[in-house]
Amino acid sequence: MENLTFEIGPIRPPSEASSLLLRVTRNCPWNRCLFCHIYKGKRFERRSVEEVKKDIEAARRIADEIKSLSWRLGYGGDVAREVLQYVFSSPSYDEHFRSVALWLYFGGKSVFFQDANSLVMKTSDLVEILRFLKEKFPQVERVTSYARSRTAAKGKSLEELKELREAGLTRLHIGLESGWDFLLEYMKKGVTAKEHVEGGRKVVEAGIELSEYVILGLGGKRWWKEHATETAKVLNEINPHFIRIRTLMVLPQMPLYRKIEEGDFVLQSEEEMIVEERLLIEGLDGITSTFLSDHILNLLGELEGKFPEEKAKLLAIIDRFLSLPKEEKLNYCLGRRAGIYETMEDMKDPYLHNKVKALMEEIRQRDPDGVEKAIFRLKENFL
């Protein structure tokens, strides 16, 4: 079999799990944020149009081979579950075949451009890549990418963004993180609240869907109120299509870890971050965004709803958690982090509840204060 490969970057949003991943740039052009470790020590590069086109052609030929396999297996070109299982179980097929097979299995209609900020590419180059992608895969309906607010605000005109939309770019994922200037500077985000608003509104005006990401806990114990209230104000001004929540988790390889060791930054507890999230949601007003909690690190994964009509529902979910007795809060936190609970509803299952309770007792026998430590260690595994 011909050796067909294409370059795949390190990360993508959870919402792009069924997308084909195409690497347009390598690493991050900013790469200074204290809370991120993904690209540290790696040089940013723009890939050439020809390189990316070769990758698209390789993905096309892989897709053709998988469809031929489907015919040979008797499935008429359809990438059915049995075809997918064959690709994943056979040593003849590598990660590139597996990723394309999985993509086709889920419909083959969405593509995600990697890495951290594909919008820094020349507009003409991105347009050429988008058109070539549509030529090779006419069935593609959605093309998305990470981007930075500053790039959207200062690096692209409204006309350029509209040109990208017309060429097929349908959604941008932007790391807002916070809307408070002090915290943005402290975390070395390299953008201001004003630029967040300018970039976000420009993307929306261009007709491109916008996902803005907020990091719970980014203000720590000292600055959580300002972080929540100022972030809500910025989101109200942008009115993005999606507000996606992420929960701060600090690993030793992140620059923020040193701030914690020095005592300059103090992490919040699970409950404190939920109180912060409540303040954020309370401050969201006059928007039509969809609020999503689509990451395993988020404690309350069921916090999803459309503004303004489901705002009260979101606040009620939080209040339900905050009203739990202390021991039950701890039970839920451990159960959620251990993968036993998906939502608070699962606590009503006596078998699951007792399973978590037994786990808590087992941990406490070894260390009376060990449950909180165990929760933190479990969270580390999610990054």
Side-chain angles (χ1 to χ4, degrees):
M1 184 184 297
E2 185 183 355
N3 183 26
L4 294 171
T5 62
F6 56 94
E7 200 166 320
I8 300 174
I11 61 169
R12 49 116 183 112
S15 59
E16 303 297 340
S18 60
S19 296
L20 177 67
L21 306 180
L22 289 174
R23 203 171 196 185
V24 176
T25 61
R26 295 187 184 101
N27 309 312
C28 177
W30 177 249
N31 205 17
R32 300 175 200 175
C33 300
L34 298 189
F35 51 84
C36 180
H37 67 292
I38 302 296
Y39 306 107
K40 294 294 185 282
K42 297 174 182 176
R43 186 165 60 92
F44 174 74
E45 294 176 317
R46 291 173 176 84
R47 300 188 72 205
S48 71
V49 172
E50 289 311 308
E51 275 185 287
V52 180
K53 280 185 173 181
K54 284 179 181 175
D55 279 4
I56 293 170
E57 284 179 334
R60 175 71 265 177
R61 289 163 73 184
I62 290 171
D64 290 342
E65 287 205 21
I66 292 168
K67 294 206 172 201
S68 294
L69 171 67
S70 169
W71 279 100
R72 294 197 301 273
L73 294 175
Y75 293 95
D78 179 42
V79 183
R81 179 179 291 274
E82 292 79 5
V83 176
L84 188 67
Q85 288 172 339
Y86 187 93
V87 172
F88 271 75
S89 62
S90 172
S92 301
Y93 299 106
D94 63 12
E95 62 170 328
H96 304 93
F97 273 83
R98 290 194 291 271
S99 67
V100 173
L102 196 63
W103 177 58
L104 293 172
Y105 174 74
F106 284 112
K109 293 183 179 179
S110 62
V111 175
F112 180 73
F113 284 173
Q114 298 173 299
D115 278 338
N117 185 13
S118 300
L119 209 59
V120 298
M121 292 280 283
K122 283 172 58 178
T123 300
S124 58
D125 287 351
L126 267 180
V127 166
E128 189 175 345
I129 289 167
L130 284 161
R131 287 176 178 161
F132 188 78
L133 173 67
K134 286 298 187 79
E135 178 189 319
K136 293 296 177 180
F137 293 103
Q139 81 276 14
V140 167
E141 296 175 355
R142 193 183 79 181
V143 183
T144 70
S145 175
Y146 279 133
R148 295 189 73 231
S149 294
R150 187 176 174 82
T151 306
K154 307 298 183 187
K156 289 281 186 280
S157 67
L158 178 60
E159 290 68 30
E160 284 178 293
L161 289 172
K162 285 181 177 179
E163 188 181 355
L164 290 169
R165 173 65 187 95
E166 287 164 11
L169 182 66
T170 54
R171 181 182 296 175
L172 287 173
H173 298 270
I174 290 180
L176 180 87
E177 327 304 11
S178 178
W180 186 31
D181 279 331
F182 167 81
L183 192 56
L184 290 168
E185 185 176 348
Y186 179 89
M187 292 293 173
K188 299 192 187 315
K189 179 65 184 171
V191 67
T192 64
K194 184 179 177 181
E195 287 168 338
H196 270 324
V197 173
E198 184 184 347
R201 291 180 73 163
K202 195 190 286 186
V203 169
V204 172
E205 189 179 348
I208 298 171
E209 285 187 342
L210 177 63
S211 286
E212 292 279 9
Y213 290 75
V214 175
I215 300 181
L216 283 186
L218 197 65
K221 284 183 183 284
R222 282 196 288 173
W223 305 311
W224 69 272
K225 284 185 181 178
E226 296 90 341
H227 171 45
T229 54
E230 294 303 308
T231 299
K233 287 177 186 176
V234 167
L235 288 168
N236 289 341
E237 287 196 62
I238 297 171
N239 191 18
H241 297 84
F242 305 98
I243 297 168
R244 297 182 187 272
I245 298 301
R246 298 292 178 263
T247 299
L248 181 68
M249 182 66 207
V250 185
L251 301 176
Q253 56 268 46
M254 295 176 183
L256 186 57
Y257 191 83
R258 290 192 290 277
K259 296 275 190 185
I260 294 169
E261 287 184 314
E262 293 162 2
D264 193 55
F265 186 86
V266 183
L267 292 168
Q268 292 163 278
S269 68
E270 297 267 41
E271 184 174 352
E272 286 169 337
M273 281 191 276
I274 297 302
V275 171
E276 176 190 305
E277 191 168 19
R278 193 187 197 288
L279 185 61
L280 170 72
I281 293 171
E282 221 171 11
L284 294 173
D285 189 42
I287 61 172
T288 54
S289 310
T290 297
F291 189 94
L292 296 165
S293 190
D294 56 346
H295 195 281
I296 189 65
L297 267 175
N298 297 333
L299 185 64
L300 299 178
E302 61 262 55
L303 273 177
E304 297 195 350
K306 184 83 166 61
F307 276 79
E309 55 266 35
E310 294 185 291
K311 178 176 178 176
K313 181 195 84 169
L314 296 175
L315 292 173
I317 292 169
I318 288 178
D319 289 341
R320 180 182 168 193
F321 171 79
L322 294 176
S323 68
L324 291 173
K326 183 179 178 181
E327 188 71 0
E328 286 298 279
K329 283 195 187 92
L330 205 57
N331 181 291
Y332 176 72
C333 290
L334 181 62
R336 168 73 172 156
R337 299 315 184 190
I340 298 169
Y341 298 145
E342 286 288 328
T343 70
M344 283 187 289
E345 279 297 302
D346 293 335
M347 294 180 74
K348 293 179 179 178
D349 185 322
Y351 171 76
L352 295 179
H353 190 274
N354 288 332
K355 186 176 180 180
V356 178
K357 188 176 179 182
L359 181 59
M360 289 172 69
E361 290 170 1
E362 182 185 328
I363 292 168
R364 282 171 172 160
Q365 283 176 2
R366 296 193 299 268
D367 178 0
D369 301 315
V371 175
E372 289 87 349
K373 296 174 189 174
I375 290 168
F376 189 84
R377 285 195 301 272
L378 287 165
K379 285 169 68 178
E380 284 184 317
N381 296 328
F382 298 147
L383 285 182

